[in-house]
Amino acid sequence: MKPNFLPILCGLFLLSSSLWSQVSIGGYNVYYGHIHNHCNFSDGAGTAAQAYAYARDNGKLDFFSLADHEYSLTSTEYSTMISTADSYNQDGTFVAFYGFEWSHSTYGHVAVIGSADYCTSGTSPTNTFSGFVNWLNTKDVAAFFNHPGRQNSTGVEFDHFTST
């Protein structure tokens, strides 16, 4: 069963739910996980299956996602990531997400979680931040910035924020 990503991501951190037997704080269940990870599809180690299995079985995480750099992904690898994540989903136990990291040398890096396809920062129209945002606006995904400040050598990393 493919999860509806946006509501799940928005609610994973603190939920009032009885699906999982977890730590509770103030009546809210606490879930543990991470959604900005890489495997050997880009600059990480191990296969997608090894990453999901390790997160679930060794890390004892409640949720996990791969988000490899888009410039390293092939369409076959991205399809493999999606099918691997789908195979690791266990209702009520473990949520496996998938995505990619849009990686631009000026604008920074953005994880995009839950997209059936991916775009690249090296090809128009998604090679600009506004083009990328326009692409995002056509998708039902969650997106967030990774490691702010790393692309700020020019001092303008956050100058691209507009009302787009």
Side-chain angles (χ1 to χ4, degrees), residues 34-49 51-52 64-74 77-82 84 97-104 109-114 117-121 144 146-147:
H34 199 268
I35 52 180
H36 172 207
N37 300 281
H38 307 299
C39 70
N40 63 359
F41 294 153
S42 64
D43 57 356
T47 66
Y52 286 106
F64 177 82
S65 181
L66 287 173
D68 278 280
H69 294 279
E70 40 72 22
Y71 58 79
S72 295
L73 284 171
T74 66
E77 289 169 335
Y78 198 66
S79 293
T80 297
M81 183 189 302
I82 293 170
T84 302
F97 296 104
Y98 55 84
F100 67 95
E101 185 174 10
W102 183 81
S103 307
H104 196 282
H109 293 199
V110 177
V112 179
I113 306 300
D117 60 344
Y118 67 98
C119 65
T120 68
S121 61
F144 55 89
N146 301 327
H147 31 75

